[in-house]
Amino acid sequence: MGKNGYLPLFETKPAGGLVFFRSYAASIFIGICFICFHRVSYFPVTERWVWVGMFVAELWFSFYFFITVIVKWNPVFRSTFKDRLSSRFEEEELPGVDIFVCTADPRLEPPTMVVSTVLSVMAYDYPPHKLSVYLSDDGCSDLTFYALLEASRFAQLWLPFCRKLKVEPTSPEAYFQTTPEPVDDVFMANEWLIIKKSYEDMKNRIESITSLGKVPAYRRKEHNGFDEWDFVLSPHHHPSILQILIDGRDPNAIDIEGKALPTLVYLAREKRPQIHHNFKAGALNALIRVSSKVSNAPFILNVDCDMFSNNSKAIRDALCFFLDEGNGHEIAYVQYPQAFDNLTENEIYGSLRVLMKLELAGFDGNGGPCYVGTGCVHRRESLSGMKYSEELAVELKAMKYDKKIIGSASFNEEDCKALASCTYEENTPWGKEKGVKYESLVEDVLTGMSIQSKGWRSVFFNPQREAFLGMGPTTLLDTLVQHKRWGEGELQILLSKHCPFVYGRPNMPLKLQLSYCIYNLWAPNCFATLYYVFVPSFCLFRGISLFPKISSSWGIPYLYVIFVHRVHSLVEYVWLGGTVRGWLNEQRMWMFKRTTSYLFAAIDHILKLFGFSKSAFAITGKVADDDVHRRYEQEIMEFGTWSPMFTVLATLALFNLLGLIAVVTNNVAIGDARMKIFDVFGFQILLCYVLVFINLPIYQGMFFRKDSGKMPASVTLQSVAFALLASTLTIY
């Protein structure tokens, strides 16, 4: 029995195997101490700066390991009791929920994908008149508006179908791709085929008009909302467009079974070329303001346009936390993990598996997960800038959610447009103290930290059935660019007034402040990693030993730390549902990101500090041509286009290959002395072998592949020239 005599709506359990993990961490710490003692005790007389560099790099890796241990020291996992929620609250007593879906470019985020996501969240197992779905279109595309108009009609068929068959997932695209036609019930099979044909017809209409690039005149006559585009000069220069396609409070807004439909709203906020629009953060803040006048639900779910609902109970799960009589009043948001529907079996470009399934649980044990920008249910008060206090807690505990808003949402359209104007936020706290925060490329992380710094708690919840499934990058460059933005944004937070050790006091516990560093330090990680990738091979050319002899007992701590650390990483990855080859790909991407994405992130942020660069927001493409998609499914790494990141990767790969070739050639020439050389340089040679193995896809892309996804010839020539030049300078 919980507080106030009620059974709790959720429970919290610590992760299993913590004794094993803590023993492992302690043993690694002891090994690190021995390594540090060796570095200090055996300081060389010559080439001391190279030795010092290795020691500094190892100290950095040790510090970062300490941060990861803090994050994983006490992860917690939660479960909900939805049956208790249902028995405690009648349907009319449940709170309203506003759902925000954001899109920005119909070329990169196809309208068919966007509306499939919209339909999936409209079909939640929740009273439909309590749901309001808002689509923010930052591309201000009449193609997207047309697709949403089609979806509003199809919803009259789709929602009853989902209720009747208990459809999972509720995205029609995902459902019809993964679910076979029912064969046991002829009536249901006929209905299944009818709904599928209706969806395919709608999809074909949307795709045909999208391919035209404009909505034909006869289609524009179907809705007065298209008249708004007469005043649109470009996606970056237009007035606010607000259209309520379904008004859930209108008694005529019903599906084919006579049940109410959720409210459905289209919003394209005003944009002017001379006014900065703050990317996705600005779009979300416009939605917060507009929704406060249209539906004003106390809870807000936001999802990316490619992140469809995979669990129709997700809202009820979240409400088990918010409505818990004991602790619900102090919870600001419930964060679901990101998961991806299009990952290959072995996740060729890595995944967020460990981050989303374990590290966020560790954050939760340390005070609450960070906000990751999608798949998150917020309390409106916390997003509106309110600080948590005992007085507010009393108000939240006493709040009743059975209020009804009188009137029609349609009457508010013109009044609400002003709230989405590009000048509304001037001289206001929006983006600073209210709403989603600006001043960072990772507005989500900064917003979550801001909420936690005001005394609120957050909760991580990973249900058995994943709540949302999205689209991961399908090319190497998309992955690297995405992580470059994330790394730069995290470094931006660390080096600003929003540093967790300053911004988080006094309401965030120290262990949570330290937990944020696991991501804040992504970009600085590049320097130690680059040193370890380049310098040992450099010293092989010059005959400089950087590690103990293989025959020396001082080699044991190095072997132990490296081997045990990697074995633990493999076990952890497989325990979380990955494969051994997937883990190998994760290690490869770990090195690629540290030597390119985070390097360019660090350089860009340094340039910004000196005023030589400005922030830009890159949208990750959600579509790929057939050849790229085929190679992705076959797990063939995609290069294809020129990028300075590829030049760095290829140069480092070739330099390590040349170093290995030089060592092998030298060993053959010396003959009887090869064992002595291996004894002295064994650790460096093994490291070089590992780096060459990791870079095998790069060698294939440069020299052996003939398809269009191979490494561009210009990158190959540049890299060969740079690697040969570096090798020559090293030798002479």
Side-chain angles (χ1 to χ4, degrees), residues 82-146:
K82 293 185 287 293
D83 56 332
R84 297 178 186 174
L85 178 74
S86 299
S87 64
R88 200 167 301 170
F89 296 92
E90 299 292 338
E91 295 289 279
E92 289 303 320
E93 295 176 328
L94 289 171
V97 179
D98 289 342
I99 304 174
F100 297 167
V101 181
C102 294
T103 184
D105 190 333
R107 296 166 299 176
L108 298 176
E109 298 166 335
T112 51
M113 179 189 71
V114 174
V115 297
S116 196
T117 297
V118 169
L119 287 163
S120 76
V121 295
M122 290 179 72
Y124 272 122
D125 178 16
Y126 200 74
H129 62 286
K130 296 276 188 173
L131 294 177
S132 298
V133 181
Y134 296 78
L135 176 65
S136 170
D137 179 15
D138 251 16
C140 191
S141 170
D142 57 348
L143 301 174
T144 303
F145 178 71
Y146 170 74

Coordinates of all heavy atoms in Angstrom, one line a residue, residues 82-146:
K82 N -1.3 -0.7 -15.2 CA -2.4 0.0 -16.0 C -3.8 -0.5 -15.5 O -4.7 0.3 -15.6 CB -2.2 -0.3 -17.4 CG -1.0 0.4 -18.0 CD -0.9 0.2 -19.5 CE -0.5 -1.2 -19.9 NZ 0.8 -1.6 -19.5
D83 N -3.9 -1.7 -14.9 CA -5.2 -2.1 -14.4 C -5.6 -1.3 -13.3 O -6.8 -0.9 -13.1 CB -5.1 -3.6 -14.1 CG -4.0 -3.9 -13.1 OD1 -3.0 -3.1 -13.0 OD2 -4.1 -4.9 -12.3
R84 N -4.7 -0.9 -12.4 CA -5.0 0.0 -11.3 C -5.4 1.4 -11.8 O -6.3 2.0 -11.2 CB -3.8 0.1 -10.3 CG -3.4 -1.2 -9.7 CD -2.2 -1.1 -8.8 NE -1.7 -2.4 -8.3 CZ -0.6 -2.5 -7.5 NH1 0.1 -1.5 -7.2 NH2 -0.3 -3.7 -7.1
L85 N -4.7 1.8 -12.8 CA -5.1 3.1 -13.4 C -6.5 3.1 -13.9 O -7.3 4.0 -13.6 CB -4.2 3.5 -14.5 CG -4.4 4.8 -15.3 CD1 -4.0 6.0 -14.4 CD2 -3.7 4.9 -16.6
S86 N -6.9 2.0 -14.6 CA -8.3 1.9 -15.1 C -9.3 1.8 -14.0 O -10.4 2.4 -14.2 CB -8.3 0.7 -16.1 OG -7.4 0.8 -17.2
S87 N -9.0 1.1 -13.0 CA -10.0 0.9 -11.9 C -10.1 2.2 -11.1 O -11.1 2.4 -10.4 CB -9.6 -0.2 -11.0 OG -8.3 0.0 -10.4
R88 N -9.1 3.1 -11.1 CA -9.1 4.3 -10.2 C -9.7 5.4 -11.0 O -10.2 6.4 -10.3 CB -7.7 4.6 -9.8 CG -7.6 5.5 -8.6 CD -6.2 5.5 -8.0 NE -5.8 4.2 -7.6 CZ -4.5 3.9 -7.3 NH1 -3.6 4.8 -7.3 NH2 -4.2 2.6 -7.0
F89 N -9.6 5.5 -12.3 CA -10.1 6.6 -13.1 C -11.0 6.1 -14.2 O -10.7 5.3 -15.0 CB -8.9 7.3 -13.8 CG -7.9 8.0 -12.8 CD1 -6.8 7.3 -12.4 CD2 -8.1 9.3 -12.3 CE1 -5.9 7.8 -11.5 CE2 -7.2 9.8 -11.4 CZ -6.1 9.1 -11.0
E90 N -12.2 6.7 -14.1 CA -13.2 6.5 -15.2 C -12.6 7.2 -16.5 O -11.8 8.1 -16.4 CB -14.5 7.1 -14.9 CG -15.2 6.4 -13.6 CD -15.6 5.0 -13.9 OE1 -15.8 4.6 -15.1 OE2 -15.7 4.2 -12.9
E91 N -13.2 6.8 -17.6 CA -12.7 7.4 -18.9 C -12.8 8.9 -18.9 O -11.9 9.6 -19.4 CB -13.5 6.8 -20.1 CG -13.3 5.3 -20.3 CD -12.0 4.9 -20.9 OE1 -11.8 5.1 -22.1 OE2 -11.1 4.5 -20.1
E92 N -13.9 9.4 -18.4 CA -14.0 10.9 -18.4 C -13.1 11.6 -17.4 O -13.0 12.8 -17.4 CB -15.5 11.2 -18.1 CG -16.4 10.9 -19.2 CD -16.0 11.6 -20.5 OE1 -15.6 12.8 -20.5 OE2 -16.1 10.9 -21.6
E93 N -12.6 10.8 -16.4 CA -11.7 11.4 -15.4 C -10.3 11.4 -15.9 O -9.4 12.1 -15.2 CB -11.8 10.6 -14.1 CG -13.2 10.7 -13.5 CD -13.3 9.9 -12.2 OE1 -12.7 8.8 -12.2 OE2 -14.0 10.2 -11.3
L94 N -10.0 10.8 -17.0 CA -8.6 10.8 -17.5 C -8.2 12.1 -18.0 O -9.1 12.8 -18.6 CB -8.4 9.7 -18.5 CG -8.4 8.2 -18.0 CD1 -8.5 7.3 -19.2 CD2 -7.2 7.9 -17.1
P95 N -7.0 12.5 -17.9 CA -6.6 13.8 -18.5 C -6.5 13.9 -20.0 O -6.2 12.8 -20.6 CB -5.2 14.1 -17.8 CG -4.7 12.7 -17.6 CD -5.9 11.9 -17.2
G96 N -6.6 15.0 -20.6 CA -6.3 15.2 -22.0 C -4.8 15.1 -22.3 O -4.0 15.4 -21.4
V97 N -4.5 14.7 -23.5 CA -3.1 14.6 -23.9 C -3.0 15.3 -25.3 O -3.7 14.9 -26.2 CB -2.6 13.2 -24.0 CG1 -1.2 13.1 -24.4 CG2 -2.8 12.5 -22.6
D98 N -2.1 16.3 -25.4 CA -1.7 16.9 -26.6 C -0.5 16.2 -27.2 O 0.5 15.9 -26.5 CB -1.4 18.4 -26.5 CG -2.7 19.2 -26.2 OD1 -3.8 18.7 -26.4 OD2 -2.5 20.3 -25.7
I99 N -0.6 15.8 -28.5 CA 0.5 15.1 -29.1 C 1.1 15.9 -30.2 O 0.4 16.4 -31.2 CB 0.0 13.7 -29.7 CG1 -0.6 12.9 -28.6 CG2 1.2 13.0 -30.4 CD1 -1.3 11.6 -29.1
F100 N 2.4 16.2 -30.2 CA 3.1 17.0 -31.1 C 3.9 16.2 -32.1 O 4.7 15.4 -31.6 CB 4.0 18.0 -30.4 CG 3.4 19.0 -29.5 CD1 4.1 19.8 -28.7 CD2 2.0 19.2 -29.6 CE1 3.5 20.7 -27.8 CE2 1.4 20.1 -28.7 CZ 2.1 20.9 -27.9
V101 N 3.7 16.3 -33.4 CA 4.5 15.7 -34.4 C 5.2 16.8 -35.2 O 4.5 17.7 -35.7 CB 3.7 14.8 -35.3 CG1 4.5 14.1 -36.3 CG2 2.9 13.8 -34.5
C102 N 6.5 16.7 -35.4 CA 7.3 17.7 -36.1 C 7.9 17.2 -37.4 O 8.5 16.1 -37.4 CB 8.4 18.3 -35.2 SG 7.8 19.1 -33.7
T103 N 7.7 18.0 -38.4 CA 8.4 17.7 -39.7 C 8.9 19.0 -40.2 O 8.5 20.1 -39.8 CB 7.4 17.0 -40.7 OG1 8.1 16.7 -41.9 CG2 6.3 18.0 -41.1
A104 N 9.9 18.9 -41.1 CA 10.6 20.1 -41.6 C 10.8 20.2 -43.1 O 11.0 21.3 -43.6 CB 11.9 20.3 -40.9
D105 N 10.8 19.1 -43.8 CA 11.2 19.1 -45.2 C 10.5 17.9 -45.9 O 10.9 16.8 -45.6 CB 12.7 19.1 -45.4 CG 13.1 19.3 -46.8 OD1 12.3 19.1 -47.7 OD2 14.2 19.8 -47.0
P106 N 9.6 18.1 -46.8 CA 8.9 17.0 -47.5 C 9.8 16.2 -48.4 O 9.5 15.1 -48.7 CB 7.7 17.7 -48.2 CG 8.2 19.1 -48.5 CD 9.0 19.4 -47.3
R107 N 10.9 16.7 -48.7 CA 11.9 16.0 -49.6 C 12.6 15.0 -48.8 O 12.9 13.9 -49.3 CB 12.9 16.9 -50.3 CG 12.2 17.9 -51.3 CD 13.1 19.0 -51.6 NE 13.5 19.8 -50.5 CZ 14.4 20.8 -50.5 NH1 15.0 21.1 -51.6 NH2 14.7 21.4 -49.4
L108 N 13.0 15.3 -47.5 CA 13.7 14.4 -46.7 C 12.8 13.6 -45.8 O 13.2 12.5 -45.3 CB 14.7 15.2 -45.8 CG 15.8 16.0 -46.5 CD1 16.6 16.8 -45.6 CD2 16.7 15.1 -47.3
E109 N 11.6 14.1 -45.5 CA 10.7 13.4 -44.7 C 9.4 13.3 -45.4 O 8.5 14.2 -45.4 CB 10.5 14.2 -43.4 CG 11.8 14.3 -42.5 CD 11.7 15.4 -41.4 OE1 10.9 16.3 -41.6 OE2 12.4 15.2 -40.5
P110 N 9.2 12.2 -46.2 CA 8.1 12.0 -47.1 C 6.7 12.2 -46.4 O 6.6 11.7 -45.3 CB 8.3 10.6 -47.7 CG 9.7 10.3 -47.5 CD 10.1 11.0 -46.2
P111 N 5.8 12.9 -47.0 CA 4.5 13.1 -46.4 C 3.8 11.8 -46.0 O 3.1 11.7 -45.1 CB 3.7 13.9 -47.5 CG 4.8 14.6 -48.2 CD 5.9 13.7 -48.2
T112 N 4.0 10.7 -46.8 CA 3.4 9.4 -46.5 C 3.9 8.9 -45.2 O 3.1 8.3 -44.4 CB 3.6 8.4 -47.6 OG1 5.0 8.3 -47.9 CG2 2.9 8.7 -48.9
M113 N 5.2 9.1 -44.9 CA 5.7 8.7 -43.6 C 5.2 9.5 -42.5 O 4.8 9.0 -41.4 CB 7.3 8.8 -43.7 CG 7.9 8.4 -42.4 SD 9.7 8.8 -42.4 CE 9.6 10.6 -42.3
V114 N 5.1 10.8 -42.7 CA 4.6 11.7 -41.7 C 3.2 11.4 -41.3 O 2.8 11.3 -40.1 CB 4.7 13.2 -42.2 CG1 4.0 14.1 -41.2 CG2 6.1 13.6 -42.5
V115 N 2.3 11.2 -42.3 CA 0.9 10.9 -41.9 C 0.7 9.5 -41.3 O -0.2 9.3 -40.5 CB -0.1 11.1 -43.1 CG1 0.0 12.5 -43.6 CG2 0.2 10.2 -44.3
S116 N 1.6 8.6 -41.7 CA 1.5 7.3 -41.0 C 1.8 7.4 -39.5 O 1.2 6.7 -38.7 CB 2.5 6.3 -41.7 OG 2.2 5.0 -41.4
T117 N 2.8 8.3 -39.2 CA 3.1 8.5 -37.8 C 1.9 9.2 -37.1 O 1.5 8.9 -36.0 CB 4.3 9.4 -37.7 OG1 5.4 8.7 -38.2 CG2 4.6 9.8 -36.2
V118 N 1.3 10.2 -37.8 CA 0.1 10.9 -37.3 C -1.0 9.9 -37.0 O -1.7 9.9 -35.9 CB -0.3 12.0 -38.2 CG1 -1.7 12.6 -37.8 CG2 0.7 13.1 -38.2
L119 N -1.3 9.1 -37.9 CA -2.4 8.1 -37.8 C -2.1 7.1 -36.6 O -3.0 6.7 -35.9 CB -2.6 7.3 -39.1 CG -3.3 8.1 -40.2 CD1 -3.1 7.4 -41.5 CD2 -4.8 8.3 -39.9
S120 N -0.8 6.8 -36.4 CA -0.5 5.9 -35.3 C -0.7 6.5 -34.0 O -1.2 5.7 -33.1 CB 1.0 5.5 -35.5 OG 1.9 6.5 -35.0
V121 N -0.5 7.8 -33.8 CA -0.8 8.4 -32.5 C -2.2 8.7 -32.3 O -2.7 8.9 -31.2 CB 0.1 9.6 -32.3 CG1 1.6 9.2 -32.2 CG2 -0.1 10.7 -33.3
M122 N -3.0 8.9 -33.4 CA -4.4 9.1 -33.3 C -5.1 7.9 -32.8 O -6.2 8.0 -32.2 CB -5.0 9.5 -34.7 CG -4.6 10.9 -35.1 SD -5.3 11.4 -36.7 CE -7.0 11.6 -36.3
A123 N -4.5 6.7 -33.0 CA -5.2 5.4 -32.7 C -4.8 4.9 -31.4 O -4.9 3.7 -31.2 CB -4.8 4.4 -33.9
Y124 N -4.3 5.7 -30.5 CA -3.9 5.2 -29.2 C -5.2 4.6 -28.5 O -6.3 5.0 -28.7 CB -3.4 6.3 -28.3 CG -1.9 6.5 -28.4 CD1 -1.3 7.7 -28.8 CD2 -1.0 5.5 -28.1 CE1 0.0 7.9 -28.9 CE2 0.4 5.6 -28.2 CZ 0.9 6.8 -28.6 OH 2.2 7.0 -28.7
D125 N -4.9 3.6 -27.6 CA -6.0 3.0 -26.8 C -6.2 4.0 -25.6 O -5.8 3.8 -24.5 CB -5.5 1.7 -26.2 CG -6.5 1.0 -25.3 OD1 -7.7 1.5 -25.3 OD2 -6.1 0.1 -24.5
Y126 N -7.0 5.0 -26.0 CA -7.2 6.1 -25.0 C -8.5 6.8 -25.5 O -8.8 6.8 -26.8 CB -6.1 7.1 -25.0 CG -6.0 8.0 -23.8 CD1 -5.6 7.5 -22.6 CD2 -6.3 9.3 -23.9 CE1 -5.5 8.3 -21.5 CE2 -6.2 10.1 -22.8 CZ -5.8 9.6 -21.6 OH -5.8 10.4 -20.4
P127 N -9.3 7.4 -24.7 CA -10.5 8.1 -25.1 C -10.2 9.1 -26.2 O -9.4 10.1 -26.0 CB -11.0 8.8 -23.9 CG -10.5 8.0 -22.7 CD -9.2 7.5 -23.2
P128 N -10.7 9.0 -27.4 CA -10.3 9.8 -28.5 C -10.6 11.3 -28.3 O -9.8 12.2 -28.8 CB -11.0 9.3 -29.8 CG -12.1 8.4 -29.2 CD -11.6 7.9 -27.9
H129 N -11.7 11.6 -27.6 CA -12.0 13.0 -27.4 C -11.0 13.7 -26.4 O -11.0 14.9 -26.2 CB -13.4 13.2 -26.9 CG -13.7 12.5 -25.6 ND1 -13.8 11.1 -25.5 CD2 -13.9 13.0 -24.4 CE1 -14.1 10.8 -24.2 NE2 -14.1 11.9 -23.5
K130 N -10.2 12.8 -25.8 CA -9.2 13.4 -24.9 C -7.8 13.6 -25.6 O -6.9 14.1 -25.0 CB -8.9 12.4 -23.7 CG -10.2 12.2 -22.8 CD -10.3 13.3 -21.8 CE -11.4 13.0 -20.8 NZ -11.4 14.0 -19.7
L131 N -7.7 13.2 -26.8 CA -6.5 13.4 -27.6 C -6.6 14.5 -28.6 O -7.6 14.7 -29.2 CB -6.2 12.1 -28.4 CG -5.9 10.8 -27.6 CD1 -5.7 9.6 -28.5 CD2 -4.7 11.0 -26.7
S132 N -5.5 15.3 -28.7 CA -5.4 16.3 -29.7 C -4.0 16.2 -30.4 O -3.0 16.2 -29.7 CB -5.5 17.7 -29.1 OG -6.8 17.9 -28.5
V133 N -4.0 16.0 -31.7 CA -2.8 15.8 -32.4 C -2.4 17.0 -33.2 O -3.3 17.5 -34.0 CB -2.9 14.5 -33.3 CG1 -1.6 14.3 -34.1 CG2 -3.3 13.3 -32.5
Y134 N -1.2 17.5 -33.1 CA -0.8 18.7 -33.8 C 0.4 18.3 -34.7 O 1.4 17.7 -34.2 CB -0.3 19.8 -32.8 CG -1.4 20.3 -31.9 CD1 -1.8 19.6 -30.8 CD2 -2.0 21.5 -32.1 CE1 -2.8 20.0 -29.9 CE2 -3.0 22.0 -31.3 CZ -3.4 21.2 -30.2 OH -4.4 21.7 -29.4
L135 N 0.3 18.7 -35.9 CA 1.5 18.5 -36.8 C 2.1 19.9 -37.1 O 1.5 20.8 -37.6 CB 1.0 17.9 -38.2 CG 2.1 17.8 -39.2 CD1 3.2 16.8 -38.7 CD2 1.6 17.3 -40.6
S136 N 3.4 20.0 -36.7 CA 4.1 21.2 -37.0 C 4.9 21.0 -38.3 O 5.8 20.1 -38.4 CB 5.1 21.6 -35.9 OG 6.0 22.6 -36.3
D137 N 4.6 21.8 -39.3 CA 5.3 21.7 -40.6 C 6.2 22.9 -40.8 O 5.8 24.0 -41.2 CB 4.2 21.6 -41.7 CG 4.8 21.5 -43.1 OD1 6.1 21.2 -43.2 OD2 4.1 21.8 -44.1
D138 N 7.4 22.7 -40.5 CA 8.4 23.8 -40.6 C 8.8 24.0 -42.1 O 9.6 24.9 -42.4 CB 9.6 23.6 -39.7 CG 9.7 24.5 -38.5 OD1 8.6 25.2 -38.3 OD2 10.7 24.7 -37.9
G139 N 8.4 23.1 -42.9 CA 8.7 23.3 -44.4 C 7.5 24.0 -45.1 O 7.6 24.4 -46.2
C140 N 6.4 24.3 -44.3 CA 5.3 25.0 -44.8 C 4.9 24.5 -46.2 O 4.8 25.2 -47.2 CB 5.5 26.5 -44.9 SG 4.0 27.5 -45.2
S141 N 4.7 23.2 -46.3 CA 4.5 22.6 -47.6 C 3.0 22.2 -47.8 O 2.4 21.5 -46.9 CB 5.3 21.3 -47.7 OG 4.9 20.5 -48.9
D142 N 2.4 22.7 -48.9 CA 1.0 22.3 -49.2 C 0.9 20.8 -49.5 O -0.2 20.2 -49.3 CB 0.4 23.1 -50.3 CG 1.2 23.0 -51.6 OD1 2.4 22.5 -51.5 OD2 0.8 23.4 -52.7
L143 N 2.0 20.1 -49.8 CA 2.1 18.7 -50.0 C 1.8 18.0 -48.7 O 1.0 17.0 -48.6 CB 3.4 18.2 -50.6 CG 3.8 18.9 -51.9 CD1 5.2 18.4 -52.3 CD2 2.8 18.5 -53.0
T144 N 2.5 18.5 -47.6 CA 2.2 17.9 -46.3 C 0.8 18.1 -45.8 O 0.2 17.3 -45.2 CB 3.3 18.5 -45.3 OG1 4.6 18.2 -45.8 CG2 3.1 17.9 -43.9
F145 N 0.3 19.3 -46.1 CA -1.1 19.7 -45.7 C -2.0 18.8 -46.4 O -3.0 18.2 -45.8 CB -1.4 21.1 -46.0 CG -2.8 21.5 -45.6 CD1 -3.2 21.6 -44.3 CD2 -3.7 21.8 -46.6 CE1 -4.5 21.9 -43.9 CE2 -5.0 22.1 -46.3 CZ -5.4 22.2 -44.9
Y146 N -1.8 18.5 -47.7 CA -2.7 17.6 -48.5 C -2.7 16.2 -47.9 O -3.7 15.6 -47.7 CB -2.3 17.6 -49.9 CG -3.0 16.5 -50.7 CD1 -4.4 16.7 -51.0 CD2 -2.4 15.3 -51.0 CE1 -5.0 15.6 -51.7 CE2 -3.0 14.3 -51.7 CZ -4.4 14.5 -52.0 OH -5.0 13.5 -52.7

